[in-house]
Amino acid sequence: SVQRGAGQPEYEAKIMQQLGHSPELREHTKLIEFGKQVHLYVQMAHLHVSASTHDAYPLNTLEAMLLSKPVIATAAGGTEEQFLVSASDWLLVRNVSSAAAFVSAVLRAHAEHMAGRLSALGEQMRSVVALPAEERFGRRLGEIVRQLVKPSRPSTCFVVRTFWRHMTDPVYNLRYSLNALLRLRDPSWEAILLQTDAREMVGALQLLAALDDPRIRYVRPAKLPERTVGGYEVTDRAIQQCMASNWLVVTNGDNFYSPTFTDKLRRQLSDDGDNADLVAFDFYSRSAHVLDGNIMGNGCSRYFAHAHASCKPNVLREWHTDLGSNVLNLRRWRCEGRRFDRVEGGTSQTQDGKLVQSIVYWGWIAANVRASLTEGCLYSHNPNLYSCVQIGSRRTVWDDSRQECAVDGSSRANELMHPPYQLYESNYTPAGTRIYQRRCAQLA
């Protein structure tokens, strides 16, 4: 059935014109009057479609979901935020201007219906979108009231720079990175999710809607470069959004933090009498500088000397620190007019190291959170061997020569295996961990 729009004769005339070209289609189509009884027809339907390319946040789709009807719609306006069930992701047509993509989704829905699987998607949509609505509204309203009565000030602001590839990587992706923030035991933080280049991040808004946490805010600057090296062109604009926090962490959308990261930060500041301007955390990293041998050992020993041997000491020097491993005093940062896009020594891919060297030189007081043999490092600069092993749970492999983590059995993993390299196993990694060694093969 197709609803006749109130006061839209041109729309109705076009529909009638299309139906006139196909008697068979006309026989199976019913135009219904605009009114309050539309839900009766929706209730009888197996599928609800919304082909609008301009509807900002369509209510007809939500009404259909409330009635447990699977919905096909274009990603116009805020429609994407309504599709919270990952299994129904294909029902959302992201190419708004593609009629072929929309038809393809309808044909797939018909096939799912004939196989008896379509109605289950409707039930899932209802359970996720409709039923929790009252609970969500009440919880969020309660949060707002509590903020008005006694506002809680976030202590740490994470600026998470991200781009399209963080939505597609099977191992190191934005979903995992943001979930790591949500697992932080100290909840007094905020996150600015910053898009760094112009390529569309498909599914980003849907991800934020699914996470449903008001501490995470999405920022997409009006003018973005087509390509970026490091995202430093727009980082400083995002830092301006950290208006309530005392401390700043700038990181990337594929890095991870341990649940105790902010606990250790708070404890370190307390032990130091809140005198530090910079708190430096040791970190897991794939990068091995020629001078690292003096600190970490050489060859395979830097990975397998003990369980956390790939944890790199943060010595606050270029090539020996990482962007996301340093927590900066935001008040002093602003007072001194510090910026990432202007650093002493010129701009490069190592701007983070150059900037840290500069602020230490100019008298910033640094405190260190060192790795322990039990917890290891609390920050993971990805990709690296340790996070590849921990995330994969035996489903990933690490190629140490390319410094790349791949899903075991995937086409990429098969490429890395050809020609076959020696596999290395260590008592310090979980049983069954597969690590492709080339640099270390002779020592294994």
Side-chain angles (χ1 to χ4, degrees), residues 346-418:
T347 58
S348 69
Q349 290 184 344
T350 61
Q351 279 172 257
D352 53 345
K354 292 179 185 294
L355 185 138
V356 167
Q357 276 192 187
S358 172
I359 61 179
V360 170
Y361 175 83
W362 288 106
W364 282 48
I365 300 173
N368 295 93
V369 177
R370 294 302 185 196
S372 69
L373 290 178
T374 54
E375 284 191 275
C377 282
L378 305 182
Y379 165 64
S380 193
H381 172 222
N382 294 319
N384 66 72
L385 180 145
Y386 182 81
S387 63
C388 180
V389 169
Q390 295 300 314
I391 297 169
S393 299
R394 307 183 188 180
R395 298 190 302 273
T396 51
V397 290
W398 174 259
D399 184 318
D400 190 51
S401 180
R402 291 187 176 91
Q403 298 181 327
E404 182 176 342
C405 184
V407 177
D408 200 4
S410 67
S411 58
R412 182 55 180 162
N414 293 334
E415 289 176 14
L416 297 177
M417 286 185 66
H418 185 76

Side-chain angles (χ1 to χ4, degrees), residues 151-164:
S152 60
R153 181 186 180 92
S155 173
T156 308
C157 180
F158 290 86
V159 173
V160 183
R161 296 112 49 84
T162 186
F163 70 122
W164 62 271

Side-chain angles (χ1 to χ4, degrees), residues 227-444:
R227 288 188 175 184
T228 179
V229 178
Y232 292 107
E233 303 93 329
V234 292
T235 298
D236 298 293
R237 280 183 265 172
I239 294 175
Q240 295 173 6
Q241 303 297 318
C242 299
M243 306 187 66
S245 296
N246 299 316
W247 296 91
L248 169 68
V249 179
V250 180
T251 188
N252 294 327
D254 55 355
N255 295 330
F256 308 148
Y257 292 87
S258 165
T260 61
F261 180 86
T262 43
D263 287 342
K264 288 295 179 70
L265 170 63
R266 184 183 293 273
R267 193 176 310 155
Q268 182 65 48
L269 292 172
S270 176
D271 293 344
D272 197 54
D274 289 330
N275 293 319
D277 300 309
L278 161 67
V279 180
F281 284 75
D282 291 352
F283 57 99
Y284 296 109
S285 177
R286 66 186 177 276
S287 302
H289 190 263
V290 66
L291 298 179
D292 279 341
N294 297 328
I295 306 171
M296 302 173 66
N298 292 301
C300 285
S301 63
R302 77 177 189 277
Y303 285 152
F304 306 119
H306 56 79
H308 300 284
S310 60
C311 190
K312 185 170 179 175
N314 186 349
V315 295
L316 297 173
R317 288 162 43 207
E318 189 177 4
W319 298 110
H320 298 279
T321 189
D322 184 70
L323 177 70
S325 65
N326 298 306
V327 186
L328 308 171
N329 184 317
L330 191 51
R331 180 177 297 178
R332 181 163 183 177
W333 175 276
R334 287 185 170 130
C335 286
E336 295 184 1
R338 293 284 176 178
R339 297 180 62 90
F340 274 97
D341 61 358
R342 292 198 299 269
V343 297
E344 297 173 64
T347 58
S348 69
Q349 290 184 344
T350 61
Q351 279 172 257
D352 53 345
K354 292 179 185 294
L355 185 138
V356 167
Q357 276 192 187
S358 172
I359 61 179
V360 170
Y361 175 83
W362 288 106
W364 282 48
I365 300 173
N368 295 93
V369 177
R370 294 302 185 196
S372 69
L373 290 178
T374 54
E375 284 191 275
C377 282
L378 305 182
Y379 165 64
S380 193
H381 172 222
N382 294 319
N384 66 72
L385 180 145
Y386 182 81
S387 63
C388 180
V389 169
Q390 295 300 314
I391 297 169
S393 299
R394 307 183 188 180
R395 298 190 302 273
T396 51
V397 290
W398 174 259
D399 184 318
D400 190 51
S401 180
R402 291 187 176 91
Q403 298 181 327
E404 182 176 342
C405 184
V407 177
D408 200 4
S410 67
S411 58
R412 182 55 180 162
N414 293 334
E415 289 176 14
L416 297 177
M417 286 185 66
H418 185 76
Y421 302 116
Q422 181 171 351
L423 295 177
Y424 187 92
E425 292 193 9
S426 166
N427 293 330
Y428 296 114
T429 57
T433 299
R434 304 178 67 197
I435 303 169
Y436 299 145
Q437 298 293 335
R438 281 191 282 180
R439 283 191 302 227
C440 302
Q442 292 81 5
L443 301 176

Side-chain angles (χ1 to χ4, degrees), residues 66 126-140:
L66 178 64
R126 174 184 169 85
S127 65
V128 174
V129 175
L131 290 182
E134 182 177 351
E135 177 186 343
R136 281 188 185 183
F137 176 80
R139 175 164 50 84
R140 189 63 63 84

Side-chain angles (χ1 to χ4, degrees), residues 178-190:
L178 293 181
N179 274 314
L181 293 183
L182 295 178
R183 288 191 292 269
L184 290 173
R185 293 177 186 172
D186 183 349
S188 58
W189 56 268
E190 61 179 333

